[in-house]
């Protein structure tokens, strides 16, 4: 068996008096859609922010493709191959859709200030490649026609797509999506599900945090459930759905 | 030892003035998130209005004991009006504008105020009359003048009144709510425009007190006095953690002490290489160091980056 | 065709295809070359001098624009870099060091007379290093905290310039440094003027052309940077720093690059200033000067190169207009000078700042929102 793509071991995080994460461990395999669900305040987003380097962790390590992930440094985590989106969409509002995705290429390109000023053949070629890749990605997520619109003028669903395109521009091996279906209508959610499946079929691993349990169960290959900062279970959707602890966590104790 | 006590006294006196002015900056920042660059000029106007009032009263033959309180009151009223006007003209129309726009209008207002004062009363230094006795008291070998005592007492009283307003009155609660979240405050029935206006009014009253006190202490007033004072006070507010009232007071006192002690000892510390000319370097270095280790100031809240 | 559109076309073409509208460019260049003569004939040499300063301020404003406009980092101490550049030039092209340090005098028996081609880049480099020194410890600070630290840094530099005359005399304190060599381009001493083709090029004219060349260079660099990988990263940081990090941008390095680049423009302007005035003192590098440059950037249109140039032109020319106008206008209106002209001038200037910002909060000539949308 191949080693997992990502292996988180004993991640703990405390905010003041609240233990948001208690030694959470999980593994994500190459090319799978991995769902992370749990009730409000279970620690999903906290885990996500630790994993992508935004929050410093109190304990724990993450191995990614056999190497320790540089936790605490979001840019380095990204360059190591983990890209993310944000729950409350964070686009560069006054840049166009195309420019947003072009920014995503930053970590994979080299041109410095001198190159920018002299605009040598190498730099020009790099710029062209950046632009082409960005255009491809906009088409991939289905908003190729909106390349020239300012990000803030896009519809909500299109902003979500744009954020995914921007994350893909960083050439990730794992794409982490933080509640991508939040606020979407049924049609938009279905389209999103299509994009995520396509990504997996193209060989990308996807970590999905989602409130929409139905979407997760439909889409994911495996699912983990967090409750009060602890992992209750990690299994295929069918098994997770029937697990008594999960039912309790979601519906409250039967007693 | 006498020098040490003397420098501490000087530092506390200077620091209480900084604290008073810093409160004005920090209140406005807490509510609007902007640097009220014109605040220093309000201090200067306060000093000059009080001076004009005192002179007029003296011409009427009223005793000094009456001149000071009336002068102070008139200065406070004038500055409150000025503060409200600044908010109305320079800030309110720009509340949803790009972040730096109000900074530029504030600079413009500040220039306008300075040179209006020049047109009215000229560029010269105005000697402040001796409103208090000049006979100093002895304190363990150091000397403290009645003016210095007045600075400490009056500024402490003013700060106590401010804290009472913010923490114990309806207005104060509305101010805190607006600082927390203006939209929600508005929904809860707070008249946000009025609260913001009153914040400027209260800050300006404090500035007037500070202007009068500093002029009494140094016996002089000048159209540019507000600039440097404002700068130092703003530094103090940042040092303490801008937006935080207690922070402004702590920052002000600390900055005053640092300056006084720095000026007194920097020569000895560096073997005479650096003289007291470097006093301000000292103050700013401390500021930079504090911010490097505590990016939100001494008492500022640590705002975690939120995803 | 309106001016903004014209500019847009110029810029798009210059940026995307490098095929520039020839006749238009020719007219523009001729105008810029003829400008000092036109101004000199029309308004007198004092205004040619103003023109020289306009160009220096354009250099400064464009430098600050990189930090404030592109990267969104509020810098209130920018004039310090101008000062650093000026003192680098002043110290290495004047008798000050040789007359106070025998060791240096022994090394340079003919005196220190650094050439322009060496001193300008050196000034830019030293200023850039200062930019990094300032930036490195302060990059974690948010918005207004950064503003106050940069302000403090500017004051610290000025205080040192003012006081570093003892125990060893490095800066000559408040008296400043005198007898600085004038600017020389090759064999041509700019302060002597030049007769060519029967035309008299005065010292002011010659400085104008040198400053113009450097201003054009800085405009070129600014536009190229803006439309590049680094330029996009700056805007990304300005828009949302956390999202920028999540895109793999090393925000620390990219911000430092902005500081260094902006500072180096200031350093170049400083060197030119020192050689132009042949005298520098700390008085030229005060907080109010930093604020003035910031006003140029914001009032013109942050992040938009032609807007910033407009801001620099207006805020340099307007005070001069008021200066020349405030006295005579009163004479004409009231038959005597009623109020102090200098104060009136400043008053009008302050009012201008307030009125312009109230009417155009995004600046006089901000980046047209549609341009980006239509350009692609």
């Amino acid at each position: 068996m191949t080693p997992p793509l990502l292996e988180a071991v004993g991640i703990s995080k405390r905010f003041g008096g609240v233990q948001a994460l208690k030694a959470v461990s999980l593994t994500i395999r190459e090319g799978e859609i991995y769902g992370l669900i749990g009730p409000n305040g279970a620690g999903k987003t906290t885990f996500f922010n630790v994993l992508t380097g935004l929050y410093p962790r109190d304990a724990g390590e993450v191995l990614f493709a056999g190497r320790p992930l540089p936790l605490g440094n979001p840019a380095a985590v990204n360059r190591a191959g983990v890209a993310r989106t944000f729950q409350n969409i964070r686009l560069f509002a006054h840049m166009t859709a195309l420019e947003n995705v072009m920014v995503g290429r930053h970590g994979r390109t080299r041109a410095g200030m001198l190159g920018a000023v002299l605009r040598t053949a190498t730099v020009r070629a790099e710029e062209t490649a950046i632009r082409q890749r960005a255009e491809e990605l906009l088409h991939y997520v289905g908003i190729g026609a909106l390349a020239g619109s300012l990000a803030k003028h896009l519809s909500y669903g299109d902003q979500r797509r744009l954020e995914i395109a921007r994350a893909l521009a960083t050439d990730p091996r794992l794409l982490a999506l933080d509640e991508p279906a939040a606020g979407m209508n049924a049609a938009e959610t279905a389209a999103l599900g299509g994009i995520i499946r396509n990504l997996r079929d193209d060989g990308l691993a996807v970590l999905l945090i989602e409130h929409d349990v139905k979407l997760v169960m439909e889409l994911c290959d495996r699912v983990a459930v967090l409750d009060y900062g602890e992992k209750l279970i990690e299994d295929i959707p069918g098994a997770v759905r029937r697990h008594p602890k999960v039912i309790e966590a979601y519906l409250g104790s039967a007693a | 030892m006498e020098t040490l006590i003397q420098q501490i006294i000087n530092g506390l006196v200077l620091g209480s003035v900084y604290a008073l002015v810093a409160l004005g900056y920090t209140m406005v920042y807490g509510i609007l998130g902007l640097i009220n660059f014109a605040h220093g000029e309000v201090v200067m106007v306060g000093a000059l209005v009080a001076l004009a009032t005192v002179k007029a009263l003296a011409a009427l033959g009223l005793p000094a004991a009456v001149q000071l309180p009336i002068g102070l009151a008139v200065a406070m009223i004038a500055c409150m009006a000025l503060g409200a006007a600044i908010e109305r003209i320079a800030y309110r129309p720009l509340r949803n504008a790009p972040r730096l726009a109000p900074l530029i209008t504030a600079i413009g207002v500040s220039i306008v105020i300075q040179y209006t004062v020049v047109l009215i009363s000229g560029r010269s230094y105005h000697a402040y009359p001796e409103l208090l006795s000049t006979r100093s008291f002895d304190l363990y070998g150091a000397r403290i003048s009645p003016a210095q005592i007045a600075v400490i007492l009056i500024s402490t009283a003013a700060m106590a009144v401010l804290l009472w307003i913010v923490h114990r009155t309806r207005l104060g609660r509305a101010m805190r709510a607006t600082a927390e979240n203006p939209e929600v405050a508005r929904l809860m029935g707070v008249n946000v425009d009025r609260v913001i206006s009153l914040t400027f009014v209260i800050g300006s009253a404090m500035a007037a007190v500070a202007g009068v006190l500093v002029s009494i202490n140094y016996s002089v007033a000048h159209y540019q006095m507000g600039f440097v004072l404002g700068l130092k006070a703003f530094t103090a507010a940042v040092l303490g953690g801008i937006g935080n009232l207690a922070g402004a007071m702590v920052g002000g006192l600390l900055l005053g002490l640092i300056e006084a002690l720095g000026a007194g000892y920097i020569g000895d510390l560096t073997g005479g290489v650096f003289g007291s000319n470097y006093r301000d370097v000292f103050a700013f270095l401390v500021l930079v160091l504090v911010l490097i280790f505590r990016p939100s100031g001494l008492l500022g809240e640590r705002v975690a980056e939120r995803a | 065709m309106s001016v903004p559109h014209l500019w847009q076309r110029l810029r798009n073409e210059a940026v995307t295809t490098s095929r520039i509208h020839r006749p238009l460019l020719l007219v523009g260049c001729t105008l810029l070359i003829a400008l000092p003569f036109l101004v000199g004939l029309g308004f007198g040499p004092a205004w040619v001098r103003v023109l020289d300063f306009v160009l220096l301020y354009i250099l400064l404003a464009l430098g600050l624009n990189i930090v404030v406009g592109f990267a969104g980092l509020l810098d209130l101490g920018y004039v310090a870099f101008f000062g650093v550049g000026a003192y680098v030039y002043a110290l290495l092209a004047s008798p000050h060091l040789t007359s106070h340090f025998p060791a240096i005098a022994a090394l340079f028996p003919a005196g220190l007379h650094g050439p322009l081609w060496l001193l300008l880049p050196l000034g830019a480099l030293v200023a850039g290093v200062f930019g990094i020194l300032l930036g490195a410890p302060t990059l974690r600070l948010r918005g207004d905290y950064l503003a106050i630290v940069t302000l403090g840094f500017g004051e610290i530099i000025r205080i040192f310039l003012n006081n570093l005359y003892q125990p060893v005399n490095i800066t000559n304190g408040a008296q400043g440094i005198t007898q600085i060599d004038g600017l020389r381009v090759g064999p041509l001493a700019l302060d002597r003027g030049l007769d060519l083709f029967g035309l008299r090029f005065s010292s002011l004219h010659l400085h104008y052309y040198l400053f113009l060349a450097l201003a054009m260079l800085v405009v070129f660099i600014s536009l190229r940077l803006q439309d590049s990988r680094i330029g996009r990263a700056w805007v990304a940081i300005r828009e949302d720093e956390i999202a920028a990090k999540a895109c793999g941008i090393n925000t620390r390095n990219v911000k430092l690059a902005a500081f260094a680049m902006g500072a180096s423009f200031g350093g170049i302007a400083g060197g030119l200033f020192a050689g132009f005035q042949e005298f520098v003192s700390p008085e030229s590098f005060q907080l109010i000067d930093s604020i003035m440059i910031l006003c140029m950037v914001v009032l013109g249109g942050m992040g938009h190169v032609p807007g910033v140039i407009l801001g620099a032109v207006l805020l340099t020319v307007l005070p001069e207009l008021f200066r020349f106008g405030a006295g005579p206008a009163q004479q004409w209106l009231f038959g005597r000078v009623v109020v102090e002209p200098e104060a009136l001038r400043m008053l009008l200037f302050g009012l201008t700042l307030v009125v312009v910002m109230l009417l155009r909060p995004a600046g006089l000539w901000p980046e047209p929102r549609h341009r980006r949308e239509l350009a692609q």
Side-chain angles (χ1 to χ4, degrees):
Chain A
M1 197 181 128
T2 54
L5 176 63
L6 180 138
E7 191 172 5
V9 184
I11 302 286
S12 293
K13 173 76 188 169
R14 169 184 284 279
F15 291 113
V18 182
Q19 186 76 42
L21 294 173
K22 292 173 202 154
V24 174
S25 301
L26 49 79
T27 56
I28 301 174
R29 298 176 194 144
E30 298 264 11
E32 76 173 345
I33 303 177
Y34 186 99
L36 186 60
I37 59 172
N40 273 333
K44 300 179 302 263
T45 293
T46 303
F47 178 78
F48 200 92
N49 284 335
V50 169
L51 181 70
T52 53
L54 205 56
Y55 290 171
R57 85 287 196 193
D58 298 332
E61 280 303 328
V62 176
L63 279 180
F64 185 76
R67 289 222 187 85
L69 203 59
L71 296 179
N73 182 344
V77 167
N78 177 280
R79 286 193 295 269
V82 181
R84 69 169 289 172
T85 63
F86 294 87
Q87 191 175 332
N88 46 348
I89 307 180
R90 301 186 80 134
L91 289 166
F92 307 121
H94 296 97
M95 294 174 108
T96 64
L98 185 69
E99 286 171 324
N100 265 275
V101 184
M102 287 170 81
V103 170
R105 296 298 297 157
H106 186 94
R108 302 294 174 208
T109 44
R110 315 206 51 79
M113 287 207 287
L114 196 63
V117 173
L118 300 179
R119 205 167 279 180
T120 56
T122 336
V123 173
R124 283 203 305 272
E126 190 182 275
E127 274 292 295
T128 314
I130 290 174
R131 184 173 283 264
Q132 271 172 4
R133 178 82 182 119
E135 280 165 357
E136 276 168 33
L137 286 167
L138 285 176
H139 283 288
Y140 187 90
V141 300
I143 52 172
L146 300 171
S149 306
L150 290 190
K152 65 172 185 175
H153 290 160
L154 297 185
S155 74
Y156 188 76
D158 289 341
Q159 292 194 355
R160 289 264 180 226
R161 287 166 189 252
L162 178 54
E163 233 195 352
I164 293 177
R166 186 181 67 186
L168 290 175
T170 66
D171 291 347
R173 293 177 69 183
L174 171 68
L175 177 64
L177 303 174
D178 193 356
E179 303 213 6
M184 281 188 170
N185 61 33
E188 286 173 328
T189 307
L192 176 74
I195 293 176
I196 296 176
R197 277 198 198 93
N198 285 344
L199 289 171
R200 178 200 35 205
D201 296 344
D202 291 344
L204 206 66
V206 178
L207 167 63
L208 181 64
I209 290 190
E210 194 40 76
H211 246 92
D212 188 336
V213 178
K214 184 164 157 283
L215 179 73
V216 173
M217 294 302 179
E218 273 171 25
L219 216 55
C220 293
D221 301 305
R222 289 190 308 139
V223 176
V225 182
L226 279 187
D227 193 25
Y228 293 110
E230 279 180 291
K231 189 175 78 175
L232 294 182
I233 180 175
E234 177 183 50
D235 210 330
I236 57 170
V240 167
R241 203 190 324 244
R242 286 189 300 273
H243 199 281
K245 270 192 183 169
V246 176
I247 295 168
E248 188 186 306
Y250 267 90
L251 300 177
S253 96
Chain B
M1 191 60 200
E2 284 89 41
T3 1
L4 180 66
I5 296 174
Q6 189 66 56
Q7 299 298 0
I8 289 179
I9 292 173
N10 295 349
L12 285 178
V13 169
L14 193 59
S16 7
V17 174
Y18 287 161
L20 274 182
V21 184
L23 282 169
Y25 280 106
T26 224
M27 282 165 63
V28 168
Y29 194 93
I31 285 198
L32 285 180
L34 69 82
I35 307 172
N36 177 11
F37 228 88
H39 192 59
E41 310 313 331
V42 180
V43 176
M44 177 268 290
V45 169
L48 288 177
V49 168
L51 177 64
T53 314
V54 164
K55 276 185 179 163
L57 293 176
L60 290 175
L62 287 169
V66 187
Q67 289 173 17
L68 181 60
I70 297 182
L72 190 61
V74 173
M76 284 171 76
I77 292 166
C79 285
M80 285 155 97
L82 180 63
I86 292 174
E87 192 270 334
R88 195 72 189 73
I89 295 166
Y91 297 134
R92 192 175 298 180
L94 292 175
R95 228 173 263 164
N96 297 314
R99 199 171 58 92
L100 289 186
L103 186 68
I104 304 297
T105 48
I107 291 167
V109 165
S110 174
I111 294 175
V112 170
I113 295 177
Q114 273 192 28
Y115 287 92
T116 308
V117 168
V118 170
L119 287 181
I120 294 172
S121 69
R123 289 172 189 268
S124 50
Y125 286 82
H126 301 283
Y128 237 69
E130 278 165 12
L131 297 169
L132 298 164
S133 148
T134 47
R135 207 156 40 155
S136 297
F137 302 96
D138 186 273
L139 199 72
Y140 302 106
R143 308 196 65 76
I144 182 165
S145 70
Q148 288 180 313
I149 295 174
V151 170
I152 293 180
L153 288 182
I154 296 179
S155 56
T156 310
M159 285 188 256
V161 171
L162 178 81
L163 285 181
W164 176 77
I165 291 177
V166 171
H167 289 288
R168 287 280 180 275
T169 65
R170 242 174 81 86
L171 171 64
R173 195 166 58 219
M175 285 168 74
R176 282 178 287 139
T178 307
E180 202 68 44
N181 188 333
E183 286 314 309
V184 175
R186 198 189 301 275
L187 290 175
M188 296 293 125
V190 173
N191 183 340
V192 171
D193 282 343
R194 207 175 76 96
V195 167
I196 291 174
S197 189
L198 283 172
T199 305
F200 275 83
V201 166
I202 296 171
S204 302
M206 311 283 277
V209 176
V212 176
L213 292 180
V214 84
S215 295
I216 290 178
N217 194 30
Y218 293 115
S219 309
V220 69
H222 185 239
Y223 80 103
Q224 283 184 327
M225 66 185 274
F227 185 71
V228 178
L229 190 61
L231 196 64
K232 295 285 178 57
F234 182 62
T235 306
V238 172
L239 185 64
I242 193 151
N244 181 316
L245 294 183
M249 299 182 202
V250 170
L253 288 177
L254 203 62
L255 192 70
L257 285 172
I258 291 167
E259 274 191 20
L261 294 174
Y265 289 100
I266 188 171
D268 297 342
L269 284 175
T270 58
V273 176
F274 295 125
S276 60
N277 315 345
Y278 288 92
R279 186 174 74 169
D280 292 349
V281 171
F282 223 73
F284 282 119
L285 276 183
V286 171
L287 175 80
V288 173
L289 286 178
V290 168
L291 287 183
I292 287 170
F293 292 107
R294 279 197 67 92
S296 310
L298 290 173
L299 302 185
E301 278 178 53
R302 259 166 199 273
V303 185
E305 289 185 309
R306 296 194 63 86
Chain C
M1 193 178 220
S2 68
V3 178
H5 282 109
L6 209 63
W7 168 265
Q8 224 43 71
R9 261 187 70 185
L10 260 179
R11 183 179 170 220
N12 285 344
E13 294 191 1
V15 162
T16 51
T17 61
S18 84
R19 179 172 43 82
I20 293 169
H21 214 277
R22 288 256 165 74
L24 207 70
L25 192 71
L26 217 64
V27 172
C29 285
T30 320
L31 208 71
L32 281 178
I33 291 172
L35 194 59
F37 285 99
L38 298 177
V39 167
L41 283 176
F43 307 97
W47 282 94
V48 183
R49 195 179 161 75
V50 173
L51 214 54
D52 291 351
F53 273 100
V54 166
L55 290 168
L56 282 183
Y57 275 110
I58 288 178
L59 281 172
L60 288 170
L62 286 174
L64 184 60
N65 182 49
I66 294 204
V67 183
V68 179
F70 290 173
L73 305 162
L74 182 50
D75 184 346
L76 286 179
Y78 182 70
V79 81
F81 305 123
F82 183 49
V84 167
Y87 270 84
V88 165
Y89 186 94
L91 290 176
L92 297 182
S94 77
H96 177 77
L97 285 182
T98 43
S99 60
H100 286 89
F101 298 90
I104 296 178
L107 270 175
F108 298 92
L112 266 171
H113 301 287
L116 188 66
W117 60 263
L118 179 68
L119 292 191
L120 274 196
L122 186 66
L125 186 75
V126 175
V129 169
F130 269 87
I132 291 175
L133 283 181
L134 161 70
T138 57
L139 286 180
R140 282 195 317 140
L141 301 176
R142 287 175 305 133
D144 300 311
Y145 288 89
L146 181 66
I148 192 73
V149 171
T150 51
L151 185 154
F153 171 79
E155 286 298 285
I156 289 174
I157 296 274
R158 191 179 59 80
I159 293 168
F160 271 102
L161 291 179
N162 239 325
N163 292 295
L164 273 183
Y165 58 92
Q166 55 167 17
V168 283
N169 189 344
I170 299 174
T171 65
N172 209 28
Q175 268 100 50
I177 294 176
T178 51
Q179 291 174 272
I180 300 171
D181 297 346
L183 298 168
R184 295 178 71 95
V185 179
L188 180 64
L190 300 190
D191 54 359
R192 301 252 173 77
L194 177 71
D195 291 296
L196 202 66
F197 316 124
L199 269 178
R200 171 70 191 161
F201 290 84
S202 74
S203 155
L204 293 172
H205 287 86
L206 294 180
H207 282 98
Y208 170 85
Y209 293 120
L210 176 65
F211 295 178
L212 180 67
L214 285 160
M216 305 258 262
L217 178 71
V218 164
V219 169
F220 175 78
I221 294 176
S222 290
L223 290 177
R224 281 267 165 112
L225 283 176
Q226 186 174 23
D227 190 43
S228 75
R229 172 176 173 266
I230 300 283
R232 281 191 300 273
W234 284 334
V235 178
I237 289 176
R238 186 182 75 198
E239 295 273 315
D240 189 330
E241 188 167 347
I242 291 175
K245 282 182 186 163
C247 285
I249 294 174
N250 183 331
T251 51
R252 188 178 56 94
N253 290 0
V254 171
K255 282 181 180 178
L256 282 181
F259 266 114
M261 201 68 200
S264 64
F265 288 3
I268 291 177
L272 294 176
F273 175 74
F276 180 42
Q277 301 279 65
E278 303 183 8
F279 166 71
V280 294
S281 77
E283 206 171 295
S284 305
F285 312 108
Q286 302 191 32
L287 178 58
I288 188 73
D289 301 291
S290 290
I291 289 174
M292 203 56 91
I293 303 167
L294 182 70
C295 287
M296 292 172 182
V297 173
V298 179
L299 188 117
M302 267 186 12
H304 189 221
V305 170
V308 171
I309 294 174
L310 176 69
V313 173
L314 278 186
L315 291 197
T316 318
V317 171
L318 266 187
E320 297 303 319
L321 273 182
F322 293 150
R323 185 204 302 279
F324 284 93
Q330 290 185 50
Q331 201 79 42
W332 183 72
L333 274 174
F334 309 111
R336 64 193 170 93
V337 174
V338 183
V339 294
E340 186 194 330
E342 173 67 13
L344 189 61
R345 166 175 97 97
M346 290 304 290
L347 192 65
L348 289 173
F349 181 71
L351 278 176
T352 312
L353 289 184
V354 176
V355 172
V356 169
M357 285 328 282
L358 288 181
L359 296 178
R360 311 233 356 146
L364 284 170
W365 191 359
E367 181 123 27
R369 284 279 168 258
H370 314 297
R371 199 273 308 168
R372 285 174 169 278
E373 292 198 278
L374 295 176
Q376 287 155 5

